[in-house]
Amino acid sequence: MADKILMTTPLVEMDGDEMTRIIWKMIKEILLEPYIDLKTEYYDLGLVHRNETDDRVTVESAEATKKYGVAVKCATITPNAQRMTEYNLKEMWKSPNGTIRAILDGTVFRKPILVKGIVPYIPTWTKPITIARHAYGDIYKNTELRVEAGSKAELVVTDKNGKETRALIHQFKDSDGIIQGVHNIDDSIASFARACFNYALDAKEDLWFASKDTISKTYDHRFKDIFAEIYEAEYKEKFEAVGIEYFYTLIDDVIARVVRSNGGFIWACKNYDGDVMSDMLATAFGSLGLMTSVLVSPDGVYEYEAAHGTVTRHYYNYLKGEKTSTNPIATIFAWSGALRKRGELDNIPELMDFADKLEKASIKTMEDGIMDKNLALISTLENKTPVDTETFLREINSRLEALM
Ligand code: NAP
Ligand code: MG
């Protein structure tokens, strides 16, 4: 075999929890280390180590990502009451993804991997649809109240000189009711817009964005205007040069167009729309085990991961000594995405070429009928062989070897 591929800048490696932590190690040993002189700066984001470091390791890993520009992350446990006892935690540490996203000011893009045999519920979707969710504000940072009949509800804004501006929300008459205050900030909307425009240029795919500006003439209209201003000033020429389009429409119209489409575009969503529609797309494309995810900051920093979690149920079986059949594909694509980006930034064509081959070998394996049990349940291929996780990885490696 030829010499191993050399790297110049390290990748930020964020290790994680449970079944995905086991798979992480196997991917490195079976698919990466035989071919690459892997250079990573390692951060252990497993819950045990987050607890030991009072979660400082999460912040440090995000800072390192800012410094080096590319990270790859394993799925991690977001603690809840049950995890407090299970791991004897000092505190209910926050979601690592939330912490990292806040530090990088990033937008999450989710993209399904399409393979023969896994047919989307909408069969005309022959190309992937990438969804981008604005992860700040709106109802996720709201203030809400129940209101008694006979009350008057107003919006009040006090400016820096103490001057008040008021607007009536509703004069409640005979019935009790509810009110809600939501906000967003121009800077966050602008960062979201830039992340989407950059991603579209990178992927060479059209960008679609929608809101309800006809009804929400100030709030949603502000989103529309910020996107339009940034597009005109910073991206229009670049989009035209690559031959892609930025397209704005109303949220209900965009749903109709998405359903009728063949895929192959990026769909930017406001926070709530993205929450709902990303679950719809993941289900419609067939499998959580085939959904990739990348966090992109407006200044071009990338963090790759799988969209699924730590697959706890499989891990408990693994701990009992059972062979598990967990799909490693989305985690492999997190690595290939990160390695390709590192190769691109450091000008190492062999690394980019390796990433392509690793993805090709992964897809070929599934299209040859070799897959995990969950995927086999939904695959329409005639000949299917459900395998355990390690066999799955070795099968991918035999195809990868053939490509190298
Ligand atoms: P999950 O880990 O995604 O697993 C949910 C179920 O989906 C699994 O039990 C399994 O179904 C199936 N599944 C998911 N990924 C699979 C794969 N790669 N191969 C085969 N089957 C797969 O979600 P969860 O059980 O709700 O959450 C578990 C933990 O992950 C939680 O502690 C949560 O905080 C964390 N989490 C982390 C992230 C992240 O780091 N990005 C995201 C989500 C959740 P069957 O059991 O039917 O086989
Ligand atoms: Mg959701």
Side-chain angles (χ1 to χ4, degrees):
M1 201 168 72
D3 288 342
K4 287 190 188 181
I5 300 164
L6 296 177
M7 295 175 64
T8 47
T9 319
L11 265 183
V12 176
E13 175 184 354
M14 303 169 174
D15 206 345
D17 287 299
E18 301 195 310
M19 203 58 221
T20 40
R21 186 182 181 96
I22 307 295
I23 293 176
W24 192 259
K25 191 158 172 277
M26 290 191 199
I27 290 175
K28 286 174 65 178
E29 283 171 7
I30 299 173
L31 294 174
L32 304 176
E33 283 161 357
Y35 305 98
I36 304 173
D37 195 7
L38 204 58
K39 207 169 164 178
T40 74
E41 194 164 292
Y42 180 84
Y43 292 85
D44 183 1
L45 266 55
L47 188 49
V48 172
H49 193 239
R50 271 183 277 150
N51 192 51
E52 283 167 2
T53 61
D54 295 336
D55 207 22
R56 273 191 308 275
V57 65
T58 307
V59 174
E60 284 163 9
S61 72
E63 297 296 348
T65 305
K66 267 187 166 169
K67 175 175 164 196
Y68 293 115
V70 189
V72 57
K73 180 180 170 292
C74 180
T76 46
I77 293 170
T78 298
N80 56 15
Q82 182 257 321
R83 300 293 196 174
M84 293 290 290
T85 1
E86 186 183 355
Y87 282 83
N88 194 15
L89 299 180
K90 298 185 223 169
E91 255 182 61
M92 203 185 285
W93 308 111
K94 283 194 244 160
S95 148
N97 286 38
T99 302
I100 295 165
R101 198 161 59 214
I103 293 172
L104 299 181
D105 185 20
T107 298
V108 174
F109 295 83
R110 283 178 157 212
K111 181 181 187 179
I113 301 159
L114 298 196
V115 291
K116 271 192 217 95
I118 306 299
V119 185
Y121 284 93
I122 298 186
T124 47
W125 288 355
T126 52
K127 286 176 276 182
I129 297 171
T130 304
I131 198 158
R133 171 180 172 188
H134 184 212
Y136 179 84
D138 301 352
I139 61 163
Y140 302 87
K141 277 213 187 291
N142 69 355
T143 307
E144 22 182 61
L145 290 170
R146 289 181 63 171
V147 181
E148 246 177 58
S151 312
K152 179 168 82 170
E154 291 177 297
L155 284 178
V156 183
V157 176
T158 311
D159 77 9
K160 55 178 180 279
N161 304 312
K163 190 174 147 276
E164 285 185 357
T165 307
R166 285 170 180 269
L168 180 70
I169 297 172
H170 191 66
Q171 176 71 60
F172 291 82
K173 295 196 178 93
D174 307 327
S175 172
D176 294 353
I178 40 181
I179 59 164
Q180 181 178 57
V182 297
H183 80 281
N184 223 297
I185 49 182
D186 286 4
D187 283 356
S188 173
I189 301 168
S191 289
F192 173 53
R194 289 196 177 91
C196 293
F197 288 129
N198 286 337
Y199 188 97
L201 279 174
D202 221 30
K204 297 189 178 57
E205 287 181 343
D206 292 346
L207 176 67
W208 298 10
F209 179 49
S211 72
K212 195 73 186 178
D213 63 282
T214 46
I215 300 296
S216 172
K217 289 182 167 48
T218 302
Y219 196 102
D220 276 23
H221 213 290
R222 191 74 196 126
F223 280 81
K224 178 183 178 181
D225 289 345
I226 289 174
F227 265 73
E229 283 159 21
I230 292 177
Y231 177 68
E232 285 297 323
E234 300 169 29
Y235 292 95
K236 190 165 191 278
E237 280 169 23
K238 292 179 197 160
F239 268 49
E240 283 168 1
V242 180
I244 57 172
E245 195 173 80
Y246 167 60
F247 170 67
Y248 176 87
T249 185
L250 289 168
I251 185 72
D252 30 5
D253 179 53
V254 90
I255 301 291
R257 288 172 188 266
V258 166
V259 170
R260 285 196 310 261
S261 78
N262 298 125
F265 55 90
I266 295 138
W267 181 12
C269 289
K270 285 184 63 203
N271 210 346
Y272 177 82
D273 300 335
D275 185 350
V276 177
M277 290 304 156
S278 59
D279 284 325
M280 186 275 283
L281 284 188
T283 309
F285 272 106
S287 170
L288 199 51
L290 294 179
M291 187 60 86
T292 68
S293 177
V294 57
L295 176 73
V296 183
S297 81
D299 46 350
V301 166
Y302 292 74
E303 184 238 281
Y304 295 83
E305 63 175 326
H308 61 74
T310 58
V311 212
T312 310
R313 197 185 65 80
H314 296 205
Y315 181 60
Y316 291 158
N317 291 338
Y318 169 87
L319 289 181
K320 282 188 251 162
E322 291 171 24
K323 275 213 184 265
T324 64
S325 178
T326 314
N327 188 342
I329 296 291
T331 306
I332 293 174
F333 273 62
W335 275 100
S336 59
L339 290 168
R340 181 183 295 107
K341 181 54 80 181
R342 196 66 274 165
E344 207 179 293
L345 295 176
D346 296 347
N347 197 15
I348 308 174
E350 307 83 57
L351 204 53
M352 295 160 73
D353 183 55
F354 175 81
D356 291 345
K357 286 175 175 158
L358 178 56
E359 292 180 0
K360 225 184 218 164
S362 301
I363 289 174
K364 175 94 170 55
T365 306
M366 291 182 283
E367 295 188 341
D368 286 346
I370 294 158
M371 58 191 86
D372 65 291
K373 281 185 194 156
N374 281 349
L375 209 57
L377 286 175
I378 56 170
S379 170
T380 59
L381 292 183
E382 273 190 21
N383 296 308
K384 292 176 282 195
T385 319
V387 293
D388 64 84
T389 314
E390 190 179 336
T391 308
F392 199 162
L393 290 167
R394 299 218 177 273
E395 289 285 342
I396 294 171
N397 186 45
S398 71
R399 286 160 184 80
L400 177 60
E401 260 179 336
L403 290 171
M404 294 301 289

